[in-house]
């Protein structure tokens, strides 16, 4: 499924967005989700980019699923 004029798939657009946010957080850390993952450590080592992207995708999926289920439940009610 293609989404934009350049023919990028929706998944690629999300991956680009996530990587841009991590790049920004590495340059200018703050008190946000992206910066927290950049600073996170597991077993005394920083997370690699692939791990950080995995967490970000889980958060996006959870938010999406929550909205979908809430709207569906409201409509069904």
């Amino acid at each position: 499924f293609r989404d934009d004029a350049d023919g990028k798939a929706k998944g690629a657009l999300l991956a680009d967005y996530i990587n841009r946010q991590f790049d920004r957080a590495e340059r200018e850390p703050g008190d946000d989700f992206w910066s927290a993952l950049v600073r996170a450590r597991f077993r005394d080592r920083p997370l690699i980019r692939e791990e950080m992207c995995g967490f970000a995708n889980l958060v996006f999926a959870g938010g999406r699923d929550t909205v979908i289920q809430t709207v569906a439940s409201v409509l069904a009610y």
Side-chain angles (χ1 to χ4, degrees), residues 3 20 51 74:
D3 188 35
R20 282 194 315 272
E51 292 167 326
V74 167

Side-chain angles (χ1 to χ4, degrees), residues 10-19 21-22 33-34 37 48-66:
K10 284 185 177 182
L13 293 173
L14 179 59
D16 289 347
Y17 172 77
I18 289 171
N19 279 299
Q21 293 304 312
F22 285 128
F33 171 75
W34 311 103
L37 284 175
I48 61 173
R49 181 64 67 105
E50 185 177 6
E51 292 167 326
M52 291 188 288
C53 288
F55 282 115
N57 277 308
L58 284 174
V59 169
F60 276 106
R64 179 200 64 223
D65 290 348
T66 300

Side-chain angles (χ1 to χ4, degrees), residues 1-4 6 8 15-16 19 21 23-25 27-29 38 41 43-45 48-49 51 57 60 68 76:
F1 181 76
R2 300 294 175 194
D3 188 35
D4 71 356
D6 295 332
K8 276 193 174 180
D16 289 347
N19 279 299
Q21 293 304 312
D23 292 341
R24 182 211 38 87
R27 285 190 315 274
E28 303 168 20
V38 166
R41 299 186 67 76
R43 294 186 179 172
D44 253 357
R45 66 163 177 81
I48 61 173
R49 181 64 67 105
E51 292 167 326
N57 277 308
F60 276 106
I68 290 170

